[in-house]
Amino acid sequence: MERAEDKTILVVDDEPNVRDYLTMILEDAGFRVIGAGDGEAALEIIRKDKPDFISLDLVMPRKSGHKLLSELRRDQELARIPVLIVTAHAKDDLGKKDLDDMLENKMITGPGTYLEKPVNPNSYVRAIQRALGLEESPRVEEKIGLKEELQESIK
């Protein structure tokens, strides 16, 4: 059976602190992670070394998550990469229209197709594990929970 260690996740978010946070969560869960700050940089990475999964912010400069996903879905070789939208704009003027379009046109389908920020680490990891058909590990939940507890106590 495949494991998280066998999978590469591309985290695309224009906010470096969010990208770093999501990367840390995924690395703690055992995934290999690469990051990109916008859709243009992500597309270059995807074409060079196709990831197993993409965590994609919706609202970004240069190329939005909506535009990037539209391009990926039109490319036969890249269309099957599973994508999870991670956005703070699911219900506001900046992102609602794009998210609704993605859902209506089945650019993203099924449960766990998007998460709203701030992201719950356990929900984030579980959504990716499910999408990739990986066993959900309770050890991951414990590790993430422990790290959060430490960070809270440090504050």
Side-chain angles (χ1 to χ4, degrees):
M1 177 168 208
E2 288 187 291
R3 303 168 310 154
E5 294 82 6
D6 302 323
K7 301 295 182 180
T8 299
I9 312 297
L10 173 60
V11 175
V12 187
D13 199 297
D14 62 315
E15 296 180 50
N17 58 338
V18 173
R19 192 171 56 246
D20 292 345
Y21 176 66
L22 297 176
T23 296
M24 177 195 70
I25 292 168
L26 294 173
E27 287 175 344
D28 283 351
F31 291 101
R32 290 184 308 239
V33 183
I34 48 180
D38 60 52
E40 286 289 331
L43 192 56
E44 288 178 31
I45 291 168
I46 294 165
R47 290 206 165 119
K48 285 181 190 167
D49 188 21
K50 188 168 84 172
D52 297 294
F53 191 92
I54 301 170
S55 171
L56 183 61
D57 187 16
L58 194 55
V59 179
M60 296 181 289
R62 289 184 22 160
K63 185 178 298 230
S64 71
H66 182 263
K67 287 181 182 173
L68 174 62
L69 188 57
S70 294
E71 286 184 42
L72 294 177
R73 294 304 186 236
R74 287 192 304 265
D75 185 315
Q76 203 169 22
E77 186 180 322
L78 306 176
R80 293 190 177 267
I81 301 171
V83 174
L84 174 67
I85 302 297
V86 180
T87 184
H89 302 289
K91 296 177 178 129
D92 68 21
D93 291 341
L94 289 174
K96 184 175 179 359
K97 183 179 171 189
D98 284 345
L99 184 62
D100 288 347
D101 180 62
M102 293 167 141
L103 292 166
E104 287 172 22
N105 290 306
K106 297 186 181 358
M107 293 166 62
I108 52 174
T109 58
T113 53
Y114 78 92
L115 291 175
E116 291 187 53
K117 294 176 186 173
V119 173
N120 173 290
N122 291 327
S123 299
Y124 183 59
V125 170
R126 276 192 210 113
I128 294 171
Q129 288 172 328
R130 285 184 192 130
L132 291 172
L134 301 175
E135 185 177 336
E136 293 177 37
S137 168
R139 186 177 60 91
V140 169
E141 291 175 1
E142 291 168 11
K143 189 174 185 181
I144 291 170
L146 239 170
K147 194 168 199 170
E148 285 180 333
E149 283 180 37
L150 284 171
Q151 287 173 335
E152 283 300 313
S153 65
I154 290 171
K155 287 180 186 177

